[in-house]
Amino acid sequence: MGSRGVPDAARALGGGDAAGSRRAPALGARREPRHRHGRPRRVAARVAAVARRCRRARHLLAPHRGARAPHPLAQPRTVAHQGAARAPVGGRRARRYTARVIHAFDLAFPGRPARTHVRAGRGALVALGAAVRATTGARRVALVTDARVDALWGDVARRVLARAGVACVTLRVPRGEAAKRPAHLAALWEALAAADLGRRDAVVALGGGAVGDLAGLAAATWLRGVPWIAAPTTLLAQADAALGGKTAVDLGAGKNLAGAFHQPAAVLADPEALVTLPDRALRAGLAEVVKKGMAVDAALFRWLERHAAALAARRADALEGAVARALRAKARVVRADEREREGGPRTALNFGHTLGHALEAALGYRRLLHGEAVALGMRAAAALSERAAGLPARDRARLEALLDVFALPRRMPPLPLAALVAAMARDKKRGARGVRWVLTPRIGHASVPRPVDGRLVRAALLEAGARATRVRT
Ligand SMILES: NC(=O)c1ccc[n+]([C@@H]2O[C@H](COP(=O)([O-])OP(=O)(O)OC[C@H]3O[C@@H](n4cnc5c(N)ncnc54)[C@H](O)[C@@H]3O)[C@@H](O)[C@H]2O)c1
Ligand SMILES: [Zn+2]
């Protein structure tokens, strides 16, 4: 497995600029990443690496380029294959956009007209305008985004929309999980009303999973449902959240408690958008990719092991491969079980989320990113899987090693055991018989969510760093 180079990869990711966001180059002022621990050499090296990556992304930001790009969705043969550059039309610049899109497929749902056009690869964001037209027919969209993403990628999105003849009103929502509050959903409805968004128009979500969850729910409910398109800009949203149609806001009582299933008409995952993503957010996204490998796709897990060092070093080709593979894995599961029926295949994707959601709620949706909480949840679920579902010790060690390469947290903040147990009991996956866990008897396979002996759970939580307190059973 990809353990060689692990220390280097982990070092490359360690500490530093979690708080800093990277600015795409053509948008002016360059901000130095903030670093708490004062390691100037390492920070300088990282800035240089980002600058190199940004240079590679410059074509996305340059004005007027790609004006002759062909309608990408009208060229299915050029995009629906892996790897090779075969776009036949449009001149040199256009070829750069279209030929690099290497993964495209449609996710259709049995017995329903709904379908999601999925494309992952360089140039996917530039295809936004064409995708809006081709999949929804809309000539007008509400572009929902947050201030940071707007500053980084908003101009690109607006430019390609305009080029495709799609008018656009930009609606900004707060950054991160804070966006997923009912009050912001209501504010979005008011803004959609003010913008006079009609049923022939569409919503575009440009940003991370939180923007997607909120904008998707707004689209599901506005005028009882208008089409929406996801243009995810975090790894987590590209590899996971944007696809599958789950939309939601959080309540005080728990995460994602009020929501709807509403399939996006298209998901456009462009790895170029990740060049500005802070390391910490990138690692959090990798956690959700690992989850899919562990719970539903052993081949993906092995691929991640082989490419772990490249992923940890943020190599664009590796990230693109991870996103495309994760989307295909998720599409397979969602196609089989769109609505996550009781005990259905989609419940496997909740691996790591029983504890993950509880951690996020217990911490007030601060301190841990969603992917970090899921990583801790997966470590605990793997410990339980070893004790209660026959997961071989070496398979658990492989999961731990992969999470370590991506420098994902090993120990949770010292929360009281009782608070965690209470938060898990409140979470939506509780069944009539209490808290249930998705366990993995082996890599790539998950069991139906089921209750686990409270003593085993408490032992696993203490092992993971919870503070011992009395728990009422
Ligand atoms: N609907 C689903 O199926 C599903 C699945 C998994 C997770 N989720 C949800 O997704 C959310 C987490 O999403 P997330 O991890 O994407 O984080 P996020 O959406 O909470 O926040 C992302 C942060 O990164 C910034 N950002 C986004 N793109 C950037 C870029 N390219 N460069 C620089 N900064 C950028 C944003 O401004 C924001 O501050 C959670 O609410 C989770 O519940 C939903
Ligand atoms: Zn998740």
Side-chain angles (χ1 to χ4, degrees), residues 25 54 141 196 333 340:
C54 286
V141 297
D196 203 17
V333 175
E340 194 177 312

Side-chain angles (χ1 to χ4, degrees), residues 87-411:
V89 286
R92 237 185 50 204
R93 283 172 180 167
R95 195 167 294 138
R96 280 184 74 186
Y97 293 152
T98 54
R100 298 301 302 266
V101 176
I102 60 166
H103 302 271
F105 61 93
D106 277 9
L107 168 59
F109 300 92
R112 294 209 304 120
R115 71 174 41 226
T116 302
H117 179 74
V118 182
R119 56 170 47 207
R122 285 180 63 188
L125 185 55
V126 180
L128 173 63
V132 166
R133 293 284 297 274
T135 62
T136 71
R139 293 291 199 123
R140 233 173 127 245
V141 297
L143 180 71
V144 181
T145 187
D146 67 39
R148 182 191 284 176
V149 177
D150 194 10
L152 292 166
W153 298 105
D155 284 347
V156 175
R158 281 182 287 269
R159 193 175 301 141
V160 296
L161 285 166
R163 217 173 267 159
V166 180
C168 155
V169 50
T170 301
L171 305 178
R172 282 189 181 185
V173 299
R175 276 175 40 196
E177 196 67 25
K180 287 175 58 174
R181 297 207 181 117
H184 297 308
L185 176 63
L188 207 45
W189 287 329
E190 297 293 350
L192 294 173
D196 203 17
L197 197 92
R199 300 198 69 161
R200 305 174 82 179
D201 303 330
V203 170
V204 173
L206 176 73
V211 165
D213 279 9
L214 177 73
L217 183 53
T221 47
W222 178 247
L223 303 180
R224 298 195 181 84
V226 295
W228 74 290
I229 287 195
T233 60
T234 63
L235 180 59
L236 187 140
Q238 293 193 354
D240 190 356
L243 186 65
K246 277 194 191 176
T247 70
V249 290
D250 304 329
L251 304 182
K255 202 172 150 65
N256 295 336
L257 281 183
F261 284 97
H262 187 42
Q263 298 299 340
V267 173
L268 307 168
D270 194 327
E272 298 277 19
L274 304 180
V275 294
T276 54
L277 195 66
D279 275 343
R280 188 177 165 201
L282 192 100
R283 295 196 299 259
L286 286 168
E288 290 275 20
V289 183
V290 172
K291 174 198 79 179
K292 281 194 260 307
M294 189 67 191
V296 299
D297 190 341
L300 171 59
F301 192 93
R302 290 191 295 273
W303 186 92
L304 288 170
E305 289 180 324
R306 283 199 304 281
H307 296 84
L311 288 164
R314 304 179 64 126
R315 272 203 14 217
D317 51 347
L319 290 172
E320 186 165 317
V323 167
R325 283 170 176 78
L327 284 173
R328 281 191 184 275
K330 184 156 185 184
R332 273 196 302 276
V333 175
V334 171
R335 189 182 292 121
D337 181 19
E338 185 188 358
R339 300 270 160 150
E340 194 177 312
R341 60 177 193 275
E342 183 89 11
R346 193 164 178 175
T347 57
L349 298 181
N350 291 325
F351 178 63
H353 283 62
T354 304
L355 176 58
H357 279 173
L359 274 170
E360 286 182 277
L363 291 164
Y365 304 107
R366 287 185 290 271
R367 283 186 65 181
L368 283 181
L369 299 178
H370 177 69
E372 293 171 336
V374 169
L376 287 161
M378 287 193 286
R379 291 187 197 264
L384 290 177
S385 299
E386 188 182 344
R387 281 159 213 161
L391 177 72
R394 65 174 181 285
D395 283 6
R396 179 182 165 199
R398 285 170 67 190
L399 172 68
E400 297 272 1
L402 202 46
L403 296 173
D404 288 349
V405 182
F406 300 146
L408 284 157
R410 288 174 144 251
R411 283 182 78 73

